Amino acid sequence: MIEPAYSRSRGTGQPAISAVSKWLLGLKTSPPRLNLALQGGGAHGAFTWGVLDALLADPRIEFEGLSGSSAGAMNAVIFASGWMNGGRDGARQALLDFWTEVGKQMPRGMMTQGQGDTFSLTPTSKLLVKWAGYFSPSQLNPFDLNPLRDLLNRQVDFGQLRVRSPFKLFVGTTQANSGKLRVFRESELNVDVLLASACLPTIHHPVEIGGESYWDGGYSGNPAVFPLFYDCDSCDVLLILLSSLKREGTPRSVEEIETRIVELAFSANFMREMRMFADATELSSQQFFKLGKLERRLQSMRWHMIDSSHLASLQRNETKLFAHGPFLELLRNQGRECAYAWLSAKSDDIGQRSTVDLKQCFA
């Protein structure tokens, strides 16, 4: 998928050399680097797996920082662990191994595949979900059994990753008692941090770290984008979204209202943070005097986005909780297709300009 070395400079009609093409031609010492903001969404995180697989398959793309909550954090850590052990191919294989094992956790017969690529829960599964809502995790799962713990411990050498991570990692968690966002860095990672980032309080016991109880990071930042702004050198940030930026139609039924409330709980902080970036960037562009460090950073940022809003497979919240192998493979394939399309259309803009208007999307 190597793009032509020359492209037309926007607005001039003259040939221009993109950042990617400069690297290919030997005019830059290193390829442009992307920072990745990875949303969480349970089993829907398999879509992000597909996006990452496509990015890893393109040798033009390098990476600096990855920020994620919940499934986004899982993808980020597996990505970094695989790269640490085997470079690009190692990262791709690690993601494949992880999601393949996740797809084996769900008992057979809980999801059915309809015509085409549609999947749905069986009536029995829906009944179990509704029934489980009447009990707390301490009642349903008194021994706090979590198969993800064993899977993560098998796949990730957290001791090595803490000292040898090839990327800056930012794992979002929510302090259950204060509601504050806590972002853990790669030097702090262990299995409890990852489990805390993906801890849905209706399913799992709170995860205690240093005397503090933690819940899913998606409640306070899905994902947290500010670490990529403040703690990374690269100015290019790619948002990989699992939640729709806007839903068509206003919820009316009880089920629709409850579904939308859950969606808002996991997206409101992210939407607010991105609006802050949009407003601050616009304000900094109106400065008449010498720009300070913060204003220069805002003006230099380049924002990109892979949005999954058009995919029907990601529109139902109930499927986030069920990791069904064929469903995960469908999402992976869709993620790959979206990433390949984005790379084909936008790769020459990396290191040059933003490819998404934050004001239009988030303000």
Side-chain angles (χ1 to χ4, degrees), residues 300-325:
S300 67
M301 292 301 292
R302 296 177 290 269
W303 300 95
H304 314 281
M305 183 169 70
I306 293 179
D307 182 18
S308 60
S309 297
H310 63 289
L311 296 176
S313 54
L314 296 177
Q315 301 309 305
R316 294 163 58 195
N317 275 343
E318 63 181 20
T319 57
K320 293 179 180 179
L321 299 177
F322 292 89
H324 180 50

PDB file of all heavy atoms in Angstrom, residues 300-325:
ATOM      1  N   SER A 300       0.649  23.282  16.513  1.00  0.00           N
ATOM      2  CA  SER A 300       1.407  22.274  15.768  1.00  0.00           C
ATOM      3  C   SER A 300       0.713  20.919  15.718  1.00  0.00           C
ATOM      4  O   SER A 300       1.109  20.051  14.937  1.00  0.00           O
ATOM      5  CB  SER A 300       2.796  22.098  16.404  1.00  0.00           C
ATOM      6  OG  SER A 300       2.692  21.518  17.707  1.00  0.00           O
ATOM      7  N   MET A 301      -0.332  20.723  16.558  1.00  0.00           N
ATOM      8  CA  MET A 301      -0.985  19.418  16.610  1.00  0.00           C
ATOM      9  C   MET A 301      -1.688  19.093  15.303  1.00  0.00           C
ATOM     10  O   MET A 301      -2.278  19.972  14.650  1.00  0.00           O
ATOM     11  CB  MET A 301      -1.984  19.371  17.758  1.00  0.00           C
ATOM     12  CG  MET A 301      -1.356  19.413  19.141  1.00  0.00           C
ATOM     13  SD  MET A 301      -0.201  18.055  19.447  1.00  0.00           S
ATOM     14  CE  MET A 301      -1.328  16.645  19.474  1.00  0.00           C
ATOM     15  N   ARG A 302      -1.624  17.818  14.939  1.00  0.00           N
ATOM     16  CA  ARG A 302      -2.302  17.319  13.736  1.00  0.00           C
ATOM     17  C   ARG A 302      -3.181  16.146  14.157  1.00  0.00           C
ATOM     18  O   ARG A 302      -2.685  15.136  14.651  1.00  0.00           O
ATOM     19  CB  ARG A 302      -1.273  16.903  12.679  1.00  0.00           C
ATOM     20  CG  ARG A 302      -0.439  18.077  12.164  1.00  0.00           C
ATOM     21  CD  ARG A 302       0.611  17.624  11.174  1.00  0.00           C
ATOM     22  NE  ARG A 302       1.674  16.856  11.824  1.00  0.00           N
ATOM     23  CZ  ARG A 302       2.791  17.374  12.320  1.00  0.00           C
ATOM     24  NH1 ARG A 302       2.991  18.686  12.263  1.00  0.00           N
ATOM     25  NH2 ARG A 302       3.711  16.597  12.879  1.00  0.00           N
ATOM     26  N   TRP A 303      -4.466  16.299  13.928  1.00  0.00           N
ATOM     27  CA  TRP A 303      -5.452  15.329  14.416  1.00  0.00           C
ATOM     28  C   TRP A 303      -5.973  14.470  13.262  1.00  0.00           C
ATOM     29  O   TRP A 303      -6.238  14.973  12.169  1.00  0.00           O
ATOM     30  CB  TRP A 303      -6.614  16.046  15.097  1.00  0.00           C
ATOM     31  CG  TRP A 303      -6.193  16.876  16.268  1.00  0.00           C
ATOM     32  CD1 TRP A 303      -5.905  18.211  16.267  1.00  0.00           C
ATOM     33  CD2 TRP A 303      -5.977  16.414  17.606  1.00  0.00           C
ATOM     34  NE1 TRP A 303      -5.531  18.623  17.529  1.00  0.00           N
ATOM     35  CE2 TRP A 303      -5.568  17.543  18.375  1.00  0.00           C
ATOM     36  CE3 TRP A 303      -6.101  15.176  18.238  1.00  0.00           C
ATOM     37  CZ2 TRP A 303      -5.283  17.448  19.733  1.00  0.00           C
ATOM     38  CZ3 TRP A 303      -5.809  15.087  19.588  1.00  0.00           C
ATOM     39  CH2 TRP A 303      -5.411  16.211  20.331  1.00  0.00           C
ATOM     40  N   HIS A 304      -6.134  13.191  13.543  1.00  0.00           N
ATOM     41  CA  HIS A 304      -6.647  12.241  12.563  1.00  0.00           C
ATOM     42  C   HIS A 304      -7.663  11.341  13.270  1.00  0.00           C
ATOM     43  O   HIS A 304      -7.651  11.215  14.500  1.00  0.00           O
ATOM     44  CB  HIS A 304      -5.511  11.394  11.991  1.00  0.00           C
ATOM     45  CG  HIS A 304      -4.290  12.184  11.604  1.00  0.00           C
ATOM     46  ND1 HIS A 304      -4.209  12.896  10.427  1.00  0.00           N
ATOM     47  CD2 HIS A 304      -3.110  12.402  12.263  1.00  0.00           C
ATOM     48  CE1 HIS A 304      -3.033  13.494  10.351  1.00  0.00           C
ATOM     49  NE2 HIS A 304      -2.349  13.219  11.456  1.00  0.00           N
ATOM     50  N   MET A 305      -8.527  10.698  12.507  1.00  0.00           N
ATOM     51  CA  MET A 305      -9.571   9.888  13.129  1.00  0.00           C
ATOM     52  C   MET A 305     -10.009   8.753  12.219  1.00  0.00           C
ATOM     53  O   MET A 305     -10.184   8.943  11.008  1.00  0.00           O
ATOM     54  CB  MET A 305     -10.781  10.771  13.473  1.00  0.00           C
ATOM     55  CG  MET A 305     -11.914  10.049  14.195  1.00  0.00           C
ATOM     56  SD  MET A 305     -13.148  11.213  14.845  1.00  0.00           S
ATOM     57  CE  MET A 305     -13.901  11.798  13.306  1.00  0.00           C
ATOM     58  N   ILE A 306     -10.178   7.583  12.800  1.00  0.00           N
ATOM     59  CA  ILE A 306     -10.851   6.462  12.147  1.00  0.00           C
ATOM     60  C   ILE A 306     -12.127   6.226  12.931  1.00  0.00           C
ATOM     61  O   ILE A 306     -12.094   5.833  14.099  1.00  0.00           O
ATOM     62  CB  ILE A 306      -9.970   5.201  12.120  1.00  0.00           C
ATOM     63  CG1 ILE A 306      -8.748   5.437  11.217  1.00  0.00           C
ATOM     64  CG2 ILE A 306     -10.767   4.002  11.617  1.00  0.00           C
ATOM     65  CD1 ILE A 306      -7.789   4.253  11.140  1.00  0.00           C
ATOM     66  N   ASP A 307     -13.247   6.499  12.296  1.00  0.00           N
ATOM     67  CA  ASP A 307     -14.555   6.478  12.946  1.00  0.00           C
ATOM     68  C   ASP A 307     -15.337   5.263  12.475  1.00  0.00           C
ATOM     69  O   ASP A 307     -15.387   4.968  11.272  1.00  0.00           O
ATOM     70  CB  ASP A 307     -15.302   7.771  12.609  1.00  0.00           C
ATOM     71  CG  ASP A 307     -16.657   7.857  13.274  1.00  0.00           C
ATOM     72  OD1 ASP A 307     -16.891   7.108  14.236  1.00  0.00           O
ATOM     73  OD2 ASP A 307     -17.483   8.669  12.827  1.00  0.00           O
ATOM     74  N   SER A 308     -15.957   4.570  13.407  1.00  0.00           N
ATOM     75  CA  SER A 308     -16.705   3.350  13.078  1.00  0.00           C
ATOM     76  C   SER A 308     -18.218   3.567  13.087  1.00  0.00           C
ATOM     77  O   SER A 308     -18.976   2.592  13.103  1.00  0.00           O
ATOM     78  CB  SER A 308     -16.338   2.244  14.086  1.00  0.00           C
ATOM     79  OG  SER A 308     -16.670   2.651  15.413  1.00  0.00           O
ATOM     80  N   SER A 309     -18.656   4.822  13.084  1.00  0.00           N
ATOM     81  CA  SER A 309     -20.083   5.117  13.242  1.00  0.00           C
ATOM     82  C   SER A 309     -20.955   4.476  12.174  1.00  0.00           C
ATOM     83  O   SER A 309     -22.138   4.218  12.399  1.00  0.00           O
ATOM     84  CB  SER A 309     -20.304   6.634  13.228  1.00  0.00           C
ATOM     85  OG  SER A 309     -19.652   7.244  14.319  1.00  0.00           O
ATOM     86  N   HIS A 310     -20.381   4.228  11.004  1.00  0.00           N
ATOM     87  CA  HIS A 310     -21.177   3.709   9.886  1.00  0.00           C
ATOM     88  C   HIS A 310     -21.389   2.195   9.961  1.00  0.00           C
ATOM     89  O   HIS A 310     -22.116   1.637   9.143  1.00  0.00           O
ATOM     90  CB  HIS A 310     -20.482   4.046   8.565  1.00  0.00           C
ATOM     91  CG  HIS A 310     -19.122   3.403   8.424  1.00  0.00           C
ATOM     92  ND1 HIS A 310     -18.023   3.809   9.161  1.00  0.00           N
ATOM     93  CD2 HIS A 310     -18.699   2.375   7.651  1.00  0.00           C
ATOM     94  CE1 HIS A 310     -16.987   3.078   8.825  1.00  0.00           C
ATOM     95  NE2 HIS A 310     -17.366   2.197   7.917  1.00  0.00           N
ATOM     96  N   LEU A 311     -20.774   1.532  10.922  1.00  0.00           N
ATOM     97  CA  LEU A 311     -20.839   0.072  10.990  1.00  0.00           C
ATOM     98  C   LEU A 311     -21.985  -0.392  11.883  1.00  0.00           C
ATOM     99  O   LEU A 311     -22.011  -0.100  13.082  1.00  0.00           O
ATOM    100  CB  LEU A 311     -19.519  -0.491  11.520  1.00  0.00           C
ATOM    101  CG  LEU A 311     -18.289  -0.254  10.639  1.00  0.00           C
ATOM    102  CD1 LEU A 311     -17.040  -0.768  11.334  1.00  0.00           C
ATOM    103  CD2 LEU A 311     -18.452  -0.931   9.278  1.00  0.00           C
ATOM    104  N   ALA A 312     -22.921  -1.129  11.306  1.00  0.00           N
ATOM    105  CA  ALA A 312     -24.067  -1.631  12.080  1.00  0.00           C
ATOM    106  C   ALA A 312     -23.622  -2.612  13.156  1.00  0.00           C
ATOM    107  O   ALA A 312     -24.261  -2.732  14.208  1.00  0.00           O
ATOM    108  CB  ALA A 312     -25.069  -2.305  11.140  1.00  0.00           C
ATOM    109  N   SER A 313     -22.509  -3.290  12.939  1.00  0.00           N
ATOM    110  CA  SER A 313     -22.041  -4.305  13.884  1.00  0.00           C
ATOM    111  C   SER A 313     -21.627  -3.710  15.224  1.00  0.00           C
ATOM    112  O   SER A 313     -21.524  -4.439  16.220  1.00  0.00           O
ATOM    113  CB  SER A 313     -20.857  -5.075  13.282  1.00  0.00           C
ATOM    114  OG  SER A 313     -19.846  -4.173  12.872  1.00  0.00           O
ATOM    115  N   LEU A 314     -21.395  -2.395  15.287  1.00  0.00           N
ATOM    116  CA  LEU A 314     -20.948  -1.752  16.521  1.00  0.00           C
ATOM    117  C   LEU A 314     -22.021  -0.881  17.157  1.00  0.00           C
ATOM    118  O   LEU A 314     -21.733  -0.128  18.090  1.00  0.00           O
ATOM    119  CB  LEU A 314     -19.708  -0.898  16.246  1.00  0.00           C
ATOM    120  CG  LEU A 314     -18.458  -1.648  15.795  1.00  0.00           C
ATOM    121  CD1 LEU A 314     -17.329  -0.676  15.493  1.00  0.00           C
ATOM    122  CD2 LEU A 314     -18.008  -2.643  16.854  1.00  0.00           C
ATOM    123  N   GLN A 315     -23.231  -0.985  16.690  1.00  0.00           N
ATOM    124  CA  GLN A 315     -24.279  -0.079  17.159  1.00  0.00           C
ATOM    125  C   GLN A 315     -25.056  -0.605  18.363  1.00  0.00           C
ATOM    126  O   GLN A 315     -25.845   0.127  18.959  1.00  0.00           O
ATOM    127  CB  GLN A 315     -25.258   0.217  16.014  1.00  0.00           C
ATOM    128  CG  GLN A 315     -24.607   0.841  14.789  1.00  0.00           C
ATOM    129  CD  GLN A 315     -23.751   2.045  15.132  1.00  0.00           C
ATOM    130  OE1 GLN A 315     -24.220   2.991  15.764  1.00  0.00           O
ATOM    131  NE2 GLN A 315     -22.498   2.023  14.721  1.00  0.00           N
ATOM    132  N   ARG A 316     -24.844  -1.850  18.743  1.00  0.00           N
ATOM    133  CA  ARG A 316     -25.639  -2.436  19.832  1.00  0.00           C
ATOM    134  C   ARG A 316     -24.757  -2.676  21.047  1.00  0.00           C
ATOM    135  O   ARG A 316     -23.774  -3.418  20.982  1.00  0.00           O
ATOM    136  CB  ARG A 316     -26.280  -3.741  19.366  1.00  0.00           C
ATOM    137  CG  ARG A 316     -27.313  -3.525  18.256  1.00  0.00           C
ATOM    138  CD  ARG A 316     -27.632  -4.797  17.520  1.00  0.00           C
ATOM    139  NE  ARG A 316     -28.118  -5.824  18.430  1.00  0.00           N
ATOM    140  CZ  ARG A 316     -28.203  -7.108  18.093  1.00  0.00           C
ATOM    141  NH1 ARG A 316     -27.811  -7.505  16.890  1.00  0.00           N
ATOM    142  NH2 ARG A 316     -28.675  -7.984  18.952  1.00  0.00           N
ATOM    143  N   ASN A 317     -25.121  -2.056  22.148  1.00  0.00           N
ATOM    144  CA  ASN A 317     -24.320  -2.161  23.366  1.00  0.00           C
ATOM    145  C   ASN A 317     -24.255  -3.581  23.902  1.00  0.00           C
ATOM    146  O   ASN A 317     -23.260  -3.987  24.513  1.00  0.00           O
ATOM    147  CB  ASN A 317     -24.888  -1.239  24.451  1.00  0.00           C
ATOM    148  CG  ASN A 317     -24.367   0.174  24.314  1.00  0.00           C
ATOM    149  OD1 ASN A 317     -23.374   0.426  23.648  1.00  0.00           O
ATOM    150  ND2 ASN A 317     -25.050   1.112  24.939  1.00  0.00           N
ATOM    151  N   GLU A 318     -25.301  -4.366  23.701  1.00  0.00           N
ATOM    152  CA  GLU A 318     -25.347  -5.702  24.296  1.00  0.00           C
ATOM    153  C   GLU A 318     -24.214  -6.586  23.789  1.00  0.00           C
ATOM    154  O   GLU A 318     -23.714  -7.453  24.514  1.00  0.00           O
ATOM    155  CB  GLU A 318     -26.682  -6.370  24.011  1.00  0.00           C
ATOM    156  CG  GLU A 318     -26.958  -6.604  22.537  1.00  0.00           C
ATOM    157  CD  GLU A 318     -28.312  -7.261  22.285  1.00  0.00           C
ATOM    158  OE1 GLU A 318     -29.173  -7.190  23.183  1.00  0.00           O
ATOM    159  OE2 GLU A 318     -28.491  -7.825  21.198  1.00  0.00           O
ATOM    160  N   THR A 319     -23.742  -6.358  22.555  1.00  0.00           N
ATOM    161  CA  THR A 319     -22.696  -7.210  21.996  1.00  0.00           C
ATOM    162  C   THR A 319     -21.308  -6.856  22.522  1.00  0.00           C
ATOM    163  O   THR A 319     -20.346  -7.573  22.241  1.00  0.00           O
ATOM    164  CB  THR A 319     -22.701  -7.143  20.457  1.00  0.00           C
ATOM    165  OG1 THR A 319     -22.545  -5.779  20.046  1.00  0.00           O
ATOM    166  CG2 THR A 319     -23.991  -7.697  19.892  1.00  0.00           C
ATOM    167  N   LYS A 320     -21.183  -5.782  23.294  1.00  0.00           N
ATOM    168  CA  LYS A 320     -19.893  -5.450  23.887  1.00  0.00           C
ATOM    169  C   LYS A 320     -19.475  -6.465  24.942  1.00  0.00           C
ATOM    170  O   LYS A 320     -18.294  -6.621  25.226  1.00  0.00           O
ATOM    171  CB  LYS A 320     -19.944  -4.062  24.529  1.00  0.00           C
ATOM    172  CG  LYS A 320     -20.102  -2.909  23.552  1.00  0.00           C
ATOM    173  CD  LYS A 320     -20.155  -1.588  24.300  1.00  0.00           C
ATOM    174  CE  LYS A 320     -20.314  -0.427  23.338  1.00  0.00           C
ATOM    175  NZ  LYS A 320     -20.391   0.880  24.051  1.00  0.00           N
ATOM    176  N   LEU A 321     -20.456  -7.141  25.533  1.00  0.00           N
ATOM    177  CA  LEU A 321     -20.178  -8.014  26.661  1.00  0.00           C
ATOM    178  C   LEU A 321     -19.888  -9.449  26.253  1.00  0.00           C
ATOM    179  O   LEU A 321     -19.495 -10.257  27.101  1.00  0.00           O
ATOM    180  CB  LEU A 321     -21.362  -8.007  27.630  1.00  0.00           C
ATOM    181  CG  LEU A 321     -21.711  -6.656  28.261  1.00  0.00           C
ATOM    182  CD1 LEU A 321     -22.951  -6.792  29.135  1.00  0.00           C
ATOM    183  CD2 LEU A 321     -20.544  -6.137  29.088  1.00  0.00           C
ATOM    184  N   PHE A 322     -20.084  -9.789  24.985  1.00  0.00           N
ATOM    185  CA  PHE A 322     -19.974 -11.182  24.577  1.00  0.00           C
ATOM    186  C   PHE A 322     -18.898 -11.370  23.518  1.00  0.00           C
ATOM    187  O   PHE A 322     -19.037 -10.916  22.385  1.00  0.00           O
ATOM    188  CB  PHE A 322     -21.329 -11.701  24.088  1.00  0.00           C
ATOM    189  CG  PHE A 322     -22.328 -11.812  25.195  1.00  0.00           C
ATOM    190  CD1 PHE A 322     -23.141 -10.745  25.516  1.00  0.00           C
ATOM    191  CD2 PHE A 322     -22.425 -12.966  25.946  1.00  0.00           C
ATOM    192  CE1 PHE A 322     -24.052 -10.835  26.562  1.00  0.00           C
ATOM    193  CE2 PHE A 322     -23.323 -13.062  27.000  1.00  0.00           C
ATOM    194  CZ  PHE A 322     -24.143 -11.990  27.305  1.00  0.00           C
ATOM    195  N   ALA A 323     -17.833 -12.040  23.931  1.00  0.00           N
ATOM    196  CA  ALA A 323     -16.695 -12.256  23.052  1.00  0.00           C
ATOM    197  C   ALA A 323     -16.873 -13.563  22.294  1.00  0.00           C
ATOM    198  O   ALA A 323     -16.417 -14.627  22.730  1.00  0.00           O
ATOM    199  CB  ALA A 323     -15.406 -12.272  23.870  1.00  0.00           C
ATOM    200  N   HIS A 324     -17.542 -13.497  21.189  1.00  0.00           N
ATOM    201  CA  HIS A 324     -17.838 -14.654  20.338  1.00  0.00           C
ATOM    202  C   HIS A 324     -16.847 -14.642  19.180  1.00  0.00           C
ATOM    203  O   HIS A 324     -16.757 -13.655  18.437  1.00  0.00           O
ATOM    204  CB  HIS A 324     -19.270 -14.541  19.835  1.00  0.00           C
ATOM    205  CG  HIS A 324     -19.724 -15.659  18.954  1.00  0.00           C
ATOM    206  ND1 HIS A 324     -19.569 -16.980  19.284  1.00  0.00           N
ATOM    207  CD2 HIS A 324     -20.343 -15.637  17.741  1.00  0.00           C
ATOM    208  CE1 HIS A 324     -20.089 -17.736  18.318  1.00  0.00           C
ATOM    209  NE2 HIS A 324     -20.549 -16.944  17.374  1.00  0.00           N
ATOM    210  N   GLY A 325     -16.073 -15.722  19.032  1.00  0.00           N
ATOM    211  CA  GLY A 325     -14.990 -15.767  18.066  1.00  0.00           C
ATOM    212  C   GLY A 325     -15.325 -15.235  16.682  1.00  0.00           C
ATOM    213  O   GLY A 325     -14.656 -14.335  16.175  1.00  0.00           O
TER     214      GLY A 325
END
